[in-house]
């Protein structure tokens, strides 16, 4: 893009951001004090949604606070009022996405057969780990060491909670009678993480299907009765 065209685009986007801010002020006119909790939550959601859309559309390299502000039609000051910095904004976005993803990880926990529940939960966690959405956030967090650690810890905790829900299955006590459950939780999740890393590292490789791989993993972990 030529410099003149870029400048014109930036001016247009800046005017759009100002218009968005003015619209908010107009709605608040006649009321004294800070925005209501509902208004503040709506504005925060708009910023997070704009950040997510920009991340998917443009990639990590274009994810500056200036661009986020223009995409959300707010000022940079508005963003910094609600988020400490870009790292904080990204972590809040990750937390929001993890919360949305986590509910789906538990859907098949209560099927009658424990082996089927094991495979279903495992496939859901694996899909979660290799999802393009999670990888999009991870691409940004690679440049933010502190946030990267927090993001990994949060992601790991989501996986453990899904496995804990699996362990509440009526058949878990018999199927895993030979296994220390604390060891099982982490061993199962580490197997899934390793599988996800292999798939992401070499997506074109002829890996066994996740269904076949999960059945093999079930054979490794599940014993009906003491060994």
């Amino acid at each position: 893009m030529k410099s003149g065209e870029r400048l014109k685009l930036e001016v247009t986007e800046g005017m759009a951001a100002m218009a968005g801010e003015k619209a908010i002020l107009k709605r608040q006119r006649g009321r004294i004090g800070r925005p209501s909790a509902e208004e503040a939550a709506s504005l925060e959601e708009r910023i997070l949604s704009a950040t997510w859309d920009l991340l998917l559309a443009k990639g990590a390299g274009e994810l500056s606070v200036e661009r986020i502000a223009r995409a959300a039609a707010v000022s940079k000051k508005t963003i910094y009022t609600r988020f400490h910095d870009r790292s904080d904004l990204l972590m809040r976005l990750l937390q929001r996405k993890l919360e949305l993803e986590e509910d789906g990880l538990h859907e098949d926990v209560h099927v009658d057969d424990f082996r089927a529940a094991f495979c279903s939960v495992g496939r859901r966690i694996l899909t979660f780990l290799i999802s393009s959405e999670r990888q999009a956030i991870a691409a940004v967090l690679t440049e933010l060491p502190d946030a990267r650690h927090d993001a990994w810890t949060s992601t790991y905790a989501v996986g453990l909670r899904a496995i804990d829900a699996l362990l509440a299955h009526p058949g878990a006590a018999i199927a895993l009678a030979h296994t220390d459950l604390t060891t099982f939780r982490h061993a199962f999740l580490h197997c899934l993480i390793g599988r996800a890393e292999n798939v992401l590292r070499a997506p074109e490789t002829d890996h066994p299907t996740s269904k076949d791989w999960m059945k093999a993993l079930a054979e490794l972990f599940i014993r009906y009765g003491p060994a």
Side-chain angles (χ1 to χ4, degrees):
M1 182 183 293
K2 296 180 180 179
S3 59
E5 293 176 341
R6 181 178 296 277
L7 177 60
K8 183 178 180 181
L9 176 61
E10 290 178 350
V11 170
T12 302
E13 291 176 334
M15 291 176 66
M18 290 175 62
E21 291 283 278
K22 288 178 179 178
I24 294 172
L25 292 173
K26 185 176 181 180
R27 287 195 297 270
Q28 294 175 356
R29 189 170 296 161
R31 177 175 56 77
I32 299 174
R34 296 181 178 179
S36 67
E38 182 179 349
E39 289 170 337
S42 176
L43 185 56
E44 181 175 314
E45 181 61 36
R46 196 168 92 211
I47 294 170
L48 291 173
S49 295
T51 303
W52 182 242
D53 292 342
L54 187 61
L55 174 59
L56 294 182
K58 300 293 185 179
E62 301 293 330
L63 205 61
S64 65
V65 173
E66 290 84 357
R67 287 186 176 275
I68 293 169
R70 289 197 292 267
V74 300
S75 66
K76 289 172 60 178
K77 180 180 179 181
T78 298
I79 292 179
Y80 285 121
T81 298
R82 288 159 177 78
F83 305 95
H84 296 305
D85 50 29
R86 191 176 74 131
S87 177
D88 181 44
L89 193 162
L90 291 171
M91 278 305 303
R92 296 269 283 279
L93 177 63
L94 176 63
Q95 290 291 349
R96 181 72 54 85
K97 291 299 176 182
L98 289 178
E99 290 169 4
L100 294 174
E101 291 279 352
E102 184 169 359
D103 290 339
L105 299 182
H106 305 169
E107 288 184 4
D108 297 330
V109 166
H110 300 298
V111 297
D112 291 338
D113 180 59
F114 178 76
R115 189 182 298 271
F118 175 98
C119 291
S120 178
V121 171
R123 283 195 299 270
R124 287 180 181 276
I125 295 174
L126 181 58
T127 299
F128 160 70
L129 291 172
I130 64 176
S131 69
S132 58
E133 292 188 349
R134 184 175 176 277
Q135 295 312 306
I137 297 176
V140 178
L141 294 175
T142 55
E143 62 187 78
L144 305 169
D146 293 338
R148 183 166 69 246
H149 176 268
D150 292 341
W152 169 247
T153 301
S154 298
T155 302
Y156 194 88
V158 168
L160 285 182
R161 285 194 292 271
I163 294 172
D164 287 340
L166 174 66
L167 291 176
H169 189 284
I174 296 176
L176 302 172
H178 70 296
T179 303
D180 175 77
L181 295 185
T182 299
T183 301
F184 167 78
R185 293 169 73 236
H186 293 280
F188 184 23
L189 184 53
H190 276 282
C191 286
L192 295 172
I193 291 170
R195 168 70 173 179
E197 290 176 346
N198 287 336
V199 171
L200 291 170
R201 188 180 301 116
E204 304 302 325
T205 303
D206 185 22
H207 297 287
T209 67
S210 61
K211 187 175 182 179
D212 292 340
W213 184 86
M214 202 61 63
K215 285 182 177 179
L217 194 62
E219 292 296 329
L220 176 65
F221 279 110
I222 296 175
R223 301 283 189 277
Y224 284 95

